[in-house]
Each structure stands twice: as structure tokens, then as C-alpha cells.
Amino acid sequence: MLKNIYVKSLFERRIGVLCWSIGIFLLIFGVGLMFPSMRDLFGKDMAQIPKEFQGWFGETTNIMTTFSGYMATELVGNIGIMLVIMAILYGITFIAGDEEKNVLQSLLTLPVSRTQVYFQKYFALTTINILAIIVWAIAVLAVALTLNEPLKFSVLFKIIVMFFLTNMTLSTFAYSLSAISGKRSVGGIVTGCYAFLAYFVNALSAQSDIVAKINYLSIFKYADYISLINRAIDLNNVLLMLSLILLFMISGLLIFTRRDIQLN
């Protein structure tokens, strides 16, 4: 039964996951091929951009003139937001989506506990996030090979780890809120609004001291993709994200297993 819930959850979403995967690959590959033009553009014209806005592009040291820098800023920090959106959208569907369709109610009439349902669907969500990151990484490697640009696998690995943890933190938050409320809209709106604000606060954190202080509430500050080009992963950031994931997951479980399931 446990395996069936996990597999069934993935099987029901196979078409959507496939479409997202194709879209992510084409988007990353297409934007990645723009690197030579972007390198020339930013290399010459970045000095003309006001200093407070240079942080939007990660250009404090002409970082976008290297493919690793372009990957960390554009292919993760900007275009990679598509994977964040995907993580949130799938996070709100596994329990709340089934509950709104009255599918969850039928599932719970079978000899299976709510805890088993909760974790098996969560594992399915984790699997989708892993697949999305793999597709993203394949697209990046395809761009590097096509353009014959050097790419350090150590940098790629570090970014993959933090990118995955960021997406899992947000998708777990959405999953937990939806499991608690039984409504996709609750998880989607709250998590989506937070991700949107956190993204822009992080992008503009160099603009003022106040924004920099607010940025401590942004999950993207702790992902810190640009610094991974030259530095190791900050284990404190990893522990923070893992702690948040565990907190959201347990909170959702405790309330989901005790609340009434709604009929729609």
C-alpha cells in the first residue's frame, strides 16, 4: 500500500512532470545559449549601471563574464525561478488537491493511516524536485558543451545542492500549509507571496541597509548561489534549510493527522 500511494501519486502527475521537464530544459538551454552575447554586453556596459542595481545581476566583480557566474546568476537566480514555481505548485496539489477533488477521503477509507499517506505523498513531491534539478543540470551541461565553455563540476554540484534545498524548503512549506488547511489556495498564496517578496528583497539587498536587514528573512539569501563560485557551501545555511524543512514537515503532519477532512 505504501509503495502504491507513492507510485500512484507520481503516475497521476507524469504528463505534467514531463511537460515541466521539457519546458525547463528548453528554457535553460535557450537562455544559456545567450551567454556569449551577455558576456560581451555586461563586460562592457556594467560600469554604466548604478552600483545599487548591479547586485541584481551579481555583477559586483563582472561575474557574468564567466559561464559559472552566468549559471549562478541567470540560470539559477533568475531563470531558475521557474523551478521554484514548479516546486510550490506541486507542493499544494498532493494532499489539498486530492482533498478538494474528494479523492483523499476515499483513500483514507482503505487500511492506511494518515501518517503513511502524508509521508508517501511527500516522498513523491521530493522525487519530482529531484527530477527537476536533474533536468536543470543536464540543460546546463548541454549549454556548456555546445558553447565549449569551461564549467567546474565542483561549482555545479554546490549550486545543485543549495538549489535543491531551496526548492524543497519552499515546496515543503506549501505542502505543509495545504495539508493543514485542506486548501490549495492557502499554501499557494502564502508560499507564492513569500517567495516573490523574498526573491526581490534578496535581489535588491545591496540597495540599502534596511533592505539588507530584511533580507535575513529571505530563503534566497541563504542559498547564496553566487558565493558558491569561489567558496564552499556554508554548513550553517544547509542546517538552517534542513531545520526549516523538518519544522514545516512535522507541523503539517501533526495537524493533518488530527483535523477533519473536508468534503467538497
Side-chain angles (χ1 to χ4, degrees):
M1 174 58 67
L2 295 183
K3 181 179 179 181
N4 288 340
I5 295 174
Y6 168 79
V7 173
K8 185 174 183 293
S9 297
L10 290 176
F11 183 78
E12 291 174 343
R13 294 163 177 83
R14 66 193 185 284
I15 303 299
V17 172
L18 177 61
C19 292
W20 271 100
S21 298
I22 294 174
I24 289 170
F25 180 88
L26 293 177
L27 182 62
I28 297 300
F29 188 77
V31 175
L33 291 179
M34 297 170 59
F35 169 65
S37 299
M38 298 294 285
R39 173 179 54 196
D40 296 338
L41 173 64
F42 282 93
K44 296 177 181 177
D45 300 335
M46 183 51 61
Q48 301 178 21
I49 297 179
K51 183 178 179 180
E52 59 269 21
F53 291 105
Q54 290 183 10
W56 183 280
F57 302 98
E59 264 300 313
T60 53
T61 56
N62 287 327
I63 200 169
M64 283 185 68
T65 58
T66 67
F67 185 73
S68 293
Y70 186 73
M71 173 182 64
T73 52
E74 286 298 309
L75 302 186
V76 179
N78 293 335
I79 306 302
I81 197 70
M82 290 300 297
L83 273 76
V84 174
I85 294 173
M86 176 185 177
I88 295 173
L89 289 177
Y90 276 104
I92 65 176
T93 64
F94 276 95
I95 287 184
D98 286 352
E99 185 170 355
E100 290 178 354
K101 298 175 183 176
N102 293 325
V103 174
L104 182 63
Q105 294 83 338
S106 300
L107 177 61
L108 292 176
T109 61
L110 301 174
V112 57
S113 69
R114 292 194 188 189
T115 300
Q116 292 170 335
V117 171
Y118 185 89
F119 278 115
Q120 289 300 309
K121 287 183 175 292
Y122 183 73
F123 293 151
L125 174 62
T126 303
T127 300
I128 290 177
N129 278 312
I130 291 174
L131 290 174
I133 292 294
I134 291 174
V135 171
W136 176 88
I138 291 174
V140 170
L141 289 172
V143 172
L145 291 173
T146 301
L147 298 178
N148 196 26
E149 291 287 344
L151 176 62
K152 293 183 179 179
F153 282 95
S154 59
V155 174
L156 179 61
F157 176 76
K158 288 185 291 184
I159 289 179
I160 286 174
V161 170
M162 296 310 295
F163 199 8
F164 173 71
L165 288 176
T166 302
N167 290 350
M168 279 304 302
T169 301
L170 291 171
S171 63
T172 303
F173 186 43
Y175 182 83
S176 175
L177 289 177
S178 297
I180 289 171
S181 64
K183 300 292 184 181
R184 287 178 295 177
S185 57
V186 173
I189 292 174
V190 174
T191 310
C193 288
Y194 167 76
F196 177 81
L197 293 173
Y199 173 78
F200 281 101
V201 166
N202 183 66
L204 298 175
S205 60
Q207 190 169 5
S208 71
D209 292 338
I210 295 178
V211 177
K213 291 179 180 179
I214 296 175
N215 193 38
Y216 281 98
L217 299 175
S218 171
I219 189 67
F220 298 104
K221 170 181 172 57
Y222 304 101
D224 204 12
Y225 302 121
I226 295 175
S227 71
L228 298 177
I229 299 172
N230 299 312
R231 296 202 299 265
I233 294 175
D234 189 333
L235 292 181
N236 290 326
N237 293 343
V238 173
L239 290 175
L240 174 63
M241 290 190 185
L242 290 176
S243 298
L244 289 173
I245 290 172
L246 185 62
L247 174 64
F248 296 150
M249 183 173 60
I250 293 177
S251 299
L253 174 65
L254 291 176
I255 297 179
F256 172 69
T257 55
R258 289 167 173 78
R259 70 172 177 86
D260 293 333
I261 301 299
Q262 306 171 33
L263 288 173
N264 298 287

